[in-house]
Amino acid sequence: MKLPGHDAIARQADEHLVTHRVELPKKVVERPIRQVGRRLLLALLVLVATALIVYADHEGYNDTSDGSVDLLDAFYYATVTLSTTGYGDVTPVSDAARFTNIFVVTPLRVLFLIILVGTTLEVLTERTRDEWRLNRWRSTLRDHTVVVGFGTKGRSAVQTVCATGLKKEQVVVVDPSSKVIDAATADGYAGVIGDATRSEVLKRAEVHRARQIIIATQRDDTAVLVALTARQLNRGAKIVAAVREEENAPLLKQSGADAVITSASAAGRLLGLSVLSPAAGMVLEDLIQQGSGLDMVERPVVKAEVGRSPRETDDLVVSVIRGHRVLGYDDPAIGTLQLTDRLIAIVRATPGARVTPGVRPMSPE
């Protein structure tokens, strides 16, 4: 067994404390620093324009210190006026200067305040909106799919289930890398940044309400801990995990996984089959790629098929699920199909077709 001891793993998880947060898909917007910089520049232009307006009519203003208003005094007056400070040491005394203050400087003051205060209000509004979206997302999330690990395996698994009709809003990705979560949210999935071996991280992904959990981590020992934690939080969810070493598959099943895929062995078998028969390898690869060519699906038996043999159905049936047993299409124990049976069949994929109720995609191991 290549897995380290459970106590050592637990200590490592406790020592590796990471911050975790939920990221929802966002629209592509301008960078905040660029927005703030642009508004500050606009505020500076308003300040300069006000100072030049005052200096152009400096003879209509009075400075209590020396009686005259120069360019520096004009900028000083513009600053204290636009910020509504108003010390009163520089004041308009002529009718023209007061007229300009009423119809020009005052609107510029209002614009200046809108620019600066509006930036703060927008930040607060954005935070409030994000918090509202997060609370609404949590309250409406039910029977969703949690994907732990968004590498090549996790991304392919998500694309497969979404190709069968699962909405992206019903997928939550968990990964410790913020860059990976950014990529997931850019694709339209919700994401949780954090270590999935910790229960509080999985709780943020609403694992206790999930229908199915896909574990596609880079390490087998991590997959074991995730499976244990997820099964403790959700006893009824279907957990599918991927491991690199075949000898670790039984441990994953003991940890609570319903199905375990050995990625290295599966790839090796596909390579070997392609060497022996390239055409057979192409067919099997076509079956793995959901939504194009041929697809392998699990579906219920319809009333018209009851009493028939698996070979008499319209689809190419490869196995029959009866109770907890999976029987080959030619198994004599099948006899005729029953209404409670489920069929694993190969069907022709239809681009853009939605999955009918009761039909689930199947991925060959």
Side-chain angles (χ1 to χ4, degrees):
M1 177 60 62
K2 297 185 178 180
L3 294 176
H6 184 276
D7 294 337
I9 300 176
R11 287 195 302 270
Q12 182 181 4
D14 290 336
E15 293 173 357
H16 186 57
L17 296 177
V18 296
T19 57
H20 48 272
R21 65 179 187 273
V22 178
E23 294 287 343
L24 299 180
K26 297 179 180 179
K27 297 180 179 179
V28 179
V29 296
E30 189 178 7
R31 293 181 178 179
I33 187 64
R34 185 175 299 176
Q35 294 184 23
V36 174
R38 188 183 63 204
R39 295 190 181 191
L40 289 177
L41 179 60
L42 184 58
L44 181 61
L45 292 177
V46 172
L47 177 63
V48 172
T50 304
L52 294 179
I53 291 173
V54 172
Y55 183 71
D57 191 23
H58 63 279
E59 295 181 355
Y61 290 80
N62 179 52
D63 188 353
T64 57
S65 61
D66 56 10
S68 62
V69 176
D70 56 14
L71 184 60
L72 178 60
D73 294 331
F75 273 94
Y76 167 75
Y77 174 77
T79 302
V80 298
T81 300
L82 293 180
S83 62
T84 68
T85 303
Y87 292 113
D89 47 357
V90 179
T91 57
V93 294
S94 68
D95 292 340
R98 292 178 177 179
F99 181 86
T100 304
N101 261 262
I102 294 174
F103 295 100
V104 179
V105 176
T106 298
L108 289 175
R109 180 190 301 120
V110 174
L111 178 61
F112 185 84
L113 293 176
I114 289 176
I115 293 173
L116 296 186
V117 178
T119 301
T120 303
L121 291 177
E122 183 174 346
V123 172
L124 295 177
T125 302
E126 183 69 22
R127 290 181 179 177
T128 302
R129 184 166 56 247
D130 289 344
E131 187 68 22
W132 180 83
R133 288 184 63 205
L134 182 58
N135 292 334
R136 182 176 179 273
W137 172 77
R138 286 175 174 169
S139 62
T140 58
L141 196 62
R142 296 288 189 282
D143 296 332
H144 57 289
T145 299
V146 176
V147 181
V148 180
F150 200 63
T152 303
K153 293 180 293 186
R155 188 178 295 107
S156 298
V158 172
Q159 292 173 351
T160 298
V161 294
C162 287
T164 63
L166 181 67
K167 296 181 179 179
K168 290 186 176 182
E169 293 79 6
Q170 288 296 106
V171 176
V172 181
V173 177
V174 181
D175 198 282
S177 172
S178 58
K179 293 183 178 179
V180 172
I181 295 300
D182 289 341
T185 54
D187 290 340
Y189 310 111
V192 177
I193 303 174
D195 184 2
T197 61
R198 304 183 64 84
S199 59
E200 58 265 29
V201 175
L202 293 181
K203 287 179 181 178
R204 285 184 171 267
E206 303 294 325
V207 164
H208 54 286
R209 299 176 178 176
R211 173 180 296 179
Q212 48 200 13
I213 303 169
I214 300 174
I215 302 176
T217 58
Q218 298 298 324
R219 294 170 55 93
D220 289 358
D221 53 352
T222 304
V224 171
L225 280 177
V226 173
L228 283 170
T229 308
R231 183 54 74 194
Q232 289 179 352
L233 295 175
N234 192 328
R235 296 292 182 181
K238 182 178 181 180
I239 300 179
V240 179
V243 294
R244 292 179 177 271
E245 301 295 335
E246 191 169 1
E247 62 185 22
N248 295 330
L251 185 57
L252 257 296
K253 291 186 177 180
Q254 293 176 7
S255 301
D258 297 294
V260 180
I261 306 299
T262 307
S263 57
S265 297
R269 286 194 291 268
L270 182 58
L271 286 173
L273 179 62
S274 299
V275 170
L276 298 175
S277 175
M282 291 176 58
V283 173
L284 185 57
E285 187 176 3
D286 183 21
L287 290 174
I288 295 176
Q289 295 179 355
Q290 195 72 25
S292 62
L294 298 176
D295 283 347
M296 184 173 290
V297 300
E298 177 185 336
R299 67 171 180 83
V301 173
V302 298
K303 292 183 179 180
E305 296 172 335
V306 175
R308 297 182 181 180
S309 67
R311 294 184 177 181
E312 294 176 340
T313 61
D314 294 335
D315 297 330
L316 179 59
V317 176
V318 294
S319 296
V320 176
I321 302 175
R322 179 168 294 171
H324 297 288
R325 297 185 302 167
V326 180
L327 306 174
Y329 71 94
D330 58 348
D331 194 319
I334 296 177
T336 57
L337 297 177
Q338 302 175 9
L339 190 60
T340 56
D341 292 340
R342 296 187 65 85
L343 304 179
I344 297 178
I346 297 176
V347 300
R348 172 65 63 179
T350 304
R354 311 292 288 184
V355 175
T356 57
V359 177
R360 296 196 296 265
M362 299 292 296
S363 296
E365 297 185 13

